[in-house]
Amino acid sequence: MNISIIGTGYVGLVSGVCLAYKGHRVICVDKIQSIVDSINKGIAPIYEAHLERMLIDVVNNNNLKATTDLEHAVMNTQISIIAVGTPFIGDSIDLKYVEDAAYDIGTILKNKKDYHVVCVKSTVIPTTTDTLVLKTLQQSSGKTLGDFGLVMNPEFLKEGEAVEDFLNPDRIVIGAMDEKSFEMLKNVYKDYFDAPILKVNPRTAEMIKYTSNSLLATLVSFSNEIAAISEEVGNIDALKVLEGVSLDRRITPNPEGKIIKPDITKYLKPGRGFGGSCFPKDVKSLIAFSEKQGYTPQILKSVIEVNESQTRRMIIALKSEISGIKDKTIAILGLAFKANTDDVRESPSIKLIGELLKEGGKLICYDPIAIENAKKELANNINIKFVDRYEKALERADAAIIMTDWDVILNIAFDEFKKLMKNPTIVDGCRIFDITKAESHGIRYVGIGYRE
Ligand code: UGA
């Protein structure tokens, strides 16, 4: 099929490259000429594993090209996928770019004779597609639904694994306004991707996206609430508690004695809380939207509250281990919001650093790839230094705080902590180290969800 994609950010470009890789002919549209030029040269403007290699292939075999010319893209394709950004402002998302894209596509559809389907892929609050997008398209095209098609088709791409997630989807959700547009979208995926297709209406599709992320975020905060209770009691390890819970066959199937550990159990683990460009924004947007509808979502509000209290809890734990923070040298190991990315948006590490600086700590921060992005988030401060090797962060430190579970960090030997630090104390925000082993090396260890 011929498909145009509006917006070449992380969702738009990954979708475009993967659809082209599967054999569709894709035109990517962006307003920024330098981004378009870069894509046409086979240089990915964002980093995602495997993306650039595949981009080169699809540009070379002419299955993908980029342009700033929206009219050319819409006129020469059967489906336009809107994948523009929805920035988070105040307590909700800004739908301006989605509305603008719908308006511009509608203006072009006015003069297009053939049937054309508009597909919303950007994460938008429920009712956006069947109210705002539909109304905008009808106004600017002068046509009514049926003359064109409209669907909502959310993405479920994890940062760092987006290409794999797109190529091997667990489900394809198609929220169509009508049968004809459903069939068109189904043809994009049916013979190319092996996954169940769920047919729903657009607002259900939008809700599925928000509910997926809310469920995962709830598991993280639920685990951290169990961690807090365990810490208060003492000598209970919440990591073991949640492991015990996860082994329930209804969570971890055990056919013929062979344990299958589902990925979701990764979220049933105590830690420094969730971050990134999706969980905090999506849960907060759903709360704000729900309140506007007249319902106060109590669980989701607690999910955010528990997550926000993690930083404070870590600081209290650290203070009691090293008797105060002022003028203490603290190694921060990990700046990215999760491993294998340089993204620091809403990173728990950045939040913790801000609080520790306020308390007068002297911070030496290490991350294998996120330092440049972290510097942009953190104002210049004489009490913060960035180092390119973890050894330099640990040197003469009073404590080390683990904030991202990078392989390079979880492979640090206890002897190195012992040798390099002034006062070998680890506050483990990711629960990557073994308590007994740490203590047997003479290291003071505090983990989220464990207190002596
Ligand atoms: C998330 C979802 O997992 C994707 O399914 C979804 O498509 C995507 O958002 C999106 O909306 O676009 P992502 O933000 O890349 O993907 O990251 P995750 O790997 O799910 O991690 C989110 C946060 O939860 C990270 O800060 C991570 O460190 C944290 N987390 C994860 C924990 O604190 N504990 C865990 O056990 C697991």
Side-chain angles (χ1 to χ4, degrees), residues 10-11 123 155-161 165 171 209 213 216 220 224 265-269 271-279 282 337-339 348:
Y10 145 80
V11 173
T123 297
E155 54 81 17
F156 302 98
L157 310 176
K158 294 186 290 301
E159 225 175 283
E161 295 166 60
D165 285 345
R171 75 287 213 193
K209 168 69 192 191
N213 278 356
L216 297 172
V220 174
N224 284 333
T265 56
K266 286 185 192 152
Y267 297 81
L268 274 171
K269 190 183 165 193
R272 79 313 192 229
F274 58 79
S277 63
C278 303
F279 284 9
D282 289 355
F337 87 95
K338 66 175 188 179

Side-chain angles (χ1 to χ4, degrees), residues 89-365:
I89 296 171
D91 63 358
S92 47
I93 53 168
D94 185 356
L95 294 168
K96 184 180 175 302
Y97 299 109
V98 173
E99 190 178 358
D100 287 353
Y103 184 88
D104 294 345
I105 294 169
T107 311
I108 297 158
L109 291 184
K110 192 184 259 179
N111 302 315
K112 185 170 178 183
K113 288 198 184 71
D114 299 337
Y115 183 73
H116 192 94
V117 172
V118 178
C119 167
V120 177
K121 202 177 254 305
S122 306
T123 297
V124 291
I125 51 164
T127 71
T128 302
T129 303
D130 65 13
T131 58
L132 177 79
V133 176
L134 176 61
K135 196 177 83 199
T136 308
L137 280 168
Q138 295 194 143
Q139 269 170 4
S140 62
S141 67
K143 295 183 173 180
T144 49
L145 185 71
D147 297 333
F148 61 83
L150 180 58
V151 297
M152 201 283 150
N153 171 224
E155 54 81 17
F156 302 98
L157 310 176
K158 294 186 290 301
E159 225 175 283
E161 295 166 60
V163 168
E164 268 164 56
D165 285 345
F166 199 102
L167 294 177
N168 304 299
D170 28 31
R171 75 287 213 193
I172 291 157
V173 175
I174 303 179
M177 296 291 291
D178 64 323
E179 198 56 33
K180 194 172 172 187
S181 39
F182 170 75
E183 286 301 320
M184 287 271 283
L185 240 278
K186 197 169 106 182
N187 288 337
V188 171
Y189 294 105
K190 189 173 55 108
D191 297 327
Y192 304 91
F193 298 88
D194 183 21
I197 293 184
L198 187 64
K199 182 182 177 188
V200 291
N201 64 22
R203 57 178 68 183
T204 306
E206 290 159 341
M207 193 67 175
I208 289 172
K209 168 69 192 191
Y210 275 95
T211 307
S212 295
N213 278 356
S214 296
L215 171 66
L216 297 172
T218 301
L219 292 182
V220 174
S221 281
F222 170 78
S223 305
N224 284 333
E225 182 144 293
I226 299 301
I229 299 170
S230 304
E231 286 170 17
E232 294 308 321
V233 178
N235 206 16
I236 297 178
D237 186 354
L239 187 71
K240 291 281 168 213
V241 172
L242 290 158
E243 197 183 317
V245 171
S246 295
L247 284 170
D248 181 325
R249 237 187 249 126
R250 288 165 296 184
I251 303 173
T252 303
N254 186 1
E256 290 156 24
K258 202 170 152 247
I259 288 182
I260 299 169
K261 204 162 187 261
D263 265 1
I264 200 156
T265 56
K266 286 185 192 152
Y267 297 81
L268 274 171
K269 190 183 165 193
R272 79 313 192 229
F274 58 79
S277 63
C278 303
F279 284 9
K281 166 181 153 181
D282 289 355
V283 179
K284 286 179 192 167
S285 305
L286 188 54
I287 293 170
F289 173 67
S290 173
E291 286 182 331
K292 268 191 208 135
Q293 306 301 307
Y295 177 77
T296 304
Q298 296 173 44
I299 293 179
L300 296 183
K301 287 183 105 166
S302 305
V303 166
I304 295 294
E305 266 172 46
V306 169
N307 198 51
E308 285 176 353
S309 66
Q310 287 309 97
T311 311
R312 188 90 320 252
R313 293 188 63 80
M314 289 188 75
I315 290 180
I316 293 169
L318 174 69
K319 268 184 181 164
S320 77
E321 283 307 307
I322 60 172
S323 351
I325 286 165
K326 191 158 175 29
D327 294 329
K328 296 278 167 42
T329 303
I330 301 161
I332 305 289
L333 300 185
L335 297 163
F337 87 95
K338 66 175 188 179
N340 304 320
T341 172
D342 65 352
D343 195 344
V344 298
R345 282 176 292 174
E346 296 279 326
S347 170
S349 183
I350 303 292
K351 272 193 257 168
L352 182 88
I353 288 170
E355 292 299 319
L356 290 174
L357 287 173
K358 277 191 216 152
E359 303 245 0
K362 295 187 183 310
L363 312 184
I364 321 283
C365 307

